[in-house]
Amino acid sequence: MRAIRESFDVVVLGAGTAGAAAAAFLSEAGLRAALLDTRPLDQAGACWVNAVPYWFYDAAGLDRPVSPEDVAPPDGALRMLPVSGGKGFEIRPAPAPTVDMALLVRRLHRRAVASGVHCFAPVRDLVAELEGPRPVAVTGIHEPGDAAPRRFRLDARLFVDATGWTGFLRGLVPTLRRDCPVPTGRDLCAALQEDCELADPEGAQAFLAARDMRPGDVAGWVGVRGGFSTRMVHVHGDLAHAGLLIGVSGDGRNGTAAALMARLKADHPFVGRGIRGGGGMIPVRRPFDRLVAPGVALVGDAACQVFPGHASGVGMGLVAARMLADAVASGDDPGAIEALWGYAARFQRTHGPILGAFDVFRRMAWDMPESDVQALTDCGFVGPGMTQVALSQRLGPVPLGELISIARGALRRPDLAARMALIGPRMAAVAAAYKAYPADPDPGMLARWSRALGTAAGVTPDVREGDA
Ligand SMILES: Cc1cc2nc3c(=O)[nH]c(=O)nc-3n(C[C@H](O)[C@H](O)[C@H](O)COP(=O)(O)OP(=O)(O)OC[C@H]3O[C@@H](n4cnc5c(N)ncnc54)[C@H](O)[C@@H]3O)c2cc1C
């Protein structure tokens, strides 16, 4: 078998949204970059439809999606519906418009290739070579569809782990293996998305009319099976297609995403044959307290850069990729811990507050019976303002009217009000902790910060003192 050996400034593992964006941005910043995936490039990353707020594209330096990549009509609404029936409330336009992920991933690949990134996909038998704690090369076999397989060895000063929640490199580099526990059970969301034909457009219109919705709007329910569970129905504006989404606790205690999807279809007989879709696990814990080690950076799901309240990771992965490129572009060694720390500190200080705070909320909701989760919306504790903040993944003001409805809800469900009153200060304390993420790569400081965060959040710290 033919063999190649090449040297790069950076090798990115994983060509989903986070990895493809990182490779493109790093290459555009002047670094010689390679991008690897175990799947063929046209199958890398998410292949379903995801909701991603437009501001993430702006912050990452990407053009906003347009049709056909952008699936949502410009003023399409999200209507949150009580599971028990009724019309709930509407947010128009929806804070997170839906996007065809295959087209977004393809756009990022094109951008990466145009900027000079060398792509290797699919690859197999990947092995990382370490010198001490630092990776120095990856080896494996590249099987391009149109040419004979070839062995490769790629040397680099920086390796980016964008391989998704299981984190291939994260599990091999000693410091990361120690400080970044693989998410399990309660820290995973099992999700399924499917785009289908509309078998009965009149039935779909009747469904929408009964809920004051228009074609193109998205219907969402929370607390459908256990505290952390959701389902969504998106009747497309063309009245020819519908998108379905299920999210449920990854530990299986509330049933499988497949069973919930079957039930969702049975409840909406106007939805017809499936056309495309996919699913998998999404990590929903806070980002790892440690995002980098010498010669390695984690981005995207591999870093748990996912909004815990609803398991959305695309936008955070894109802005993380941008921050990483900004941090390492100008130094002599892109893998130097000092340069990489700039990325970690900026990400944690900027987005840690909202991610960490909503992880507190998520953990509270996880343990609630579904009737209580539903009561959070039905009694007004979670209204359009709070939902807007959560879905846009950006802090913003909650309107006065919503505070009044929270007060009314407190009269109806004082027990829930007490629980909310307890987690409010905890969310604020966690947000404040993230603002103090260590500015420098001092192991002792990171361990102390991790412990302080753990105390504020009520979780086990990732990094323990003495581990430095
Ligand atoms: C059904 C569903 C619905 C979702 N809805 C939303 C939503 O509405 N909004 C949102 O923001 N997010 C949503 N998410 C989450 C979102 O899809 C992920 O957060 C996002 O895809 C993560 O991107 P990533 O690039 O980090 O990882 P991935 O998309 O997982 O890409 C990782 C890539 O790494 C490759 N790989 C794996 N191992 C290796 C290895 N050893 N070497 C090289 N390559 C490797 C994989 O083949 C893959 O191509 C949803 C997820 C699911 C499952």
Side-chain angles (χ1 to χ4, degrees):
M1 192 185 300
R2 215 155 56 86
I4 58 162
R5 178 172 184 161
E6 282 200 61
S7 284
F8 292 91
D9 295 314
V10 51
V11 169
V12 180
L13 300 173
T17 39
F25 299 157
L26 287 158
S27 176
E28 287 167 1
L31 299 178
R32 186 157 194 270
L35 178 62
L36 273 62
D37 204 290
T38 45
R39 295 189 226 159
L41 219 48
D42 61 1
Q43 291 166 31
C47 56
W48 43 88
V49 170
N50 278 351
V52 184
Y54 288 135
W55 74 264
F56 279 115
Y57 302 94
D58 305 341
L62 290 167
D63 291 337
R64 291 183 177 197
V66 291
S67 177
E69 185 182 313
D70 195 344
V71 181
D75 65 341
L78 170 70
R79 180 164 283 275
M80 293 306 300
L81 294 160
V83 176
S84 51
K87 291 183 180 170
F89 61 81
E90 172 193 90
I91 309 177
R92 187 179 298 279
T98 38
V99 164
D100 181 326
M101 294 304 294
L103 295 183
L104 172 62
V105 174
R106 210 175 297 163
R107 172 155 70 107
L108 292 168
H109 290 164
R110 277 200 304 270
R111 182 159 167 170
V113 170
S115 69
V117 172
H118 297 243
C119 294
F120 298 81
V123 296
R124 64 175 170 87
D125 299 347
L126 266 190
V127 175
E129 282 186 19
L130 276 69
E131 265 179 28
R134 185 170 171 165
V136 291
V138 287
T139 61
I141 297 174
H142 177 206
E143 296 183 310
D146 53 356
R150 51 190 187 161
R151 278 185 201 287
F152 63 82
R153 178 194 162 93
L154 309 180
D155 299 287
R157 294 180 296 163
L158 171 60
F159 293 85
V160 178
D161 188 347
T163 59
W165 70 276
T166 51
F168 171 74
L169 263 185
R170 201 183 69 209
L172 299 176
V173 172
T175 341
L176 295 173
R177 191 171 59 231
R178 185 194 65 201
D179 293 344
C180 305
V182 182
T184 53
R186 290 167 58 89
D187 285 335
L188 289 171
C189 166
L192 265 184
Q193 197 277 337
E194 197 174 328
D195 270 355
C196 303
E197 288 171 353
L198 212 51
D200 172 12
E202 279 174 20
Q205 269 179 309
F207 165 83
L208 296 174
R211 292 160 184 82
D212 291 345
M213 293 170 66
R214 304 179 203 155
D217 293 353
V218 177
W221 297 262
V222 292
V224 288
R225 184 72 77 82
F228 186 91
S229 57
T230 188
R231 63 182 192 169
M232 293 197 165
V233 174
H234 178 195
V235 175
H236 289 199
D238 61 5
L239 281 174
H241 301 98
L244 305 176
L245 175 76
I246 288 293
V248 67
S249 170
D251 59 10
R253 67 180 181 154
N254 295 319
T256 63
L260 290 178
M261 180 62 90
R263 176 73 200 271
L264 183 61
K265 287 183 179 174
D267 289 349
H268 300 88
F270 57 81
V271 174
R273 193 176 61 90
I275 306 167
R276 60 165 181 176
M281 292 292 184
I282 315 166
V284 285
R285 53 156 282 159
R286 69 191 187 283
F288 288 121
D289 296 353
R290 177 190 289 280
L291 298 179
V292 297
V296 198
L298 309 177
V299 294
D301 282 15
C304 296
Q305 288 163 328
V306 174
F307 196 87
H310 44 75
S312 293
V314 176
M316 286 292 166
L318 295 177
V319 295
R322 168 59 62 197
M323 287 180 175
L324 174 63
D326 288 351
V328 304
S330 55
D332 293 337
D333 177 3
I337 190 67
E338 293 75 16
L340 291 171
W341 205 266
Y343 150 63
R346 186 166 160 219
F347 183 88
Q348 300 282 32
R349 288 179 175 207
T350 309
H351 300 296
I354 193 162
L355 297 178
F358 271 86
D359 193 28
V360 173
F361 186 86
R362 190 251 325 167
R363 283 183 289 106
M364 176 196 74
W366 204 282
D367 290 325
M368 279 181 161
E370 48 217 32
S371 56
D372 280 2
V373 176
Q374 292 158 21
L376 285 177
T377 12
D378 298 358
C379 299
F381 293 107
V382 177
M386 175 86 150
T387 306
Q388 173 86 34
V389 166
L391 291 179
S392 63
Q393 306 177 48
R394 256 199 314 201
L395 290 172
V398 174
L400 185 62
E402 196 155 323
L403 298 179
I404 294 168
S405 82
I406 291 174
R408 283 207 201 104
L411 294 176
R412 287 167 66 192
R413 289 291 305 265
D415 57 324
L416 279 184
R419 242 191 280 182
M420 295 292 279
L422 274 180
I423 67 151
R426 175 162 274 187
M427 289 171 78
V430 166
Y434 274 97
K435 298 265 181 207
Y437 191 83
D440 300 306
D442 176 322
M445 269 168 56
L446 178 65
R448 284 192 291 283
W449 178 84
S450 185
R451 193 177 56 178
L453 177 73
T455 305
V459 294
T460 310
D462 284 345
V463 185
R464 284 160 310 195
E465 275 172 87
D467 282 348

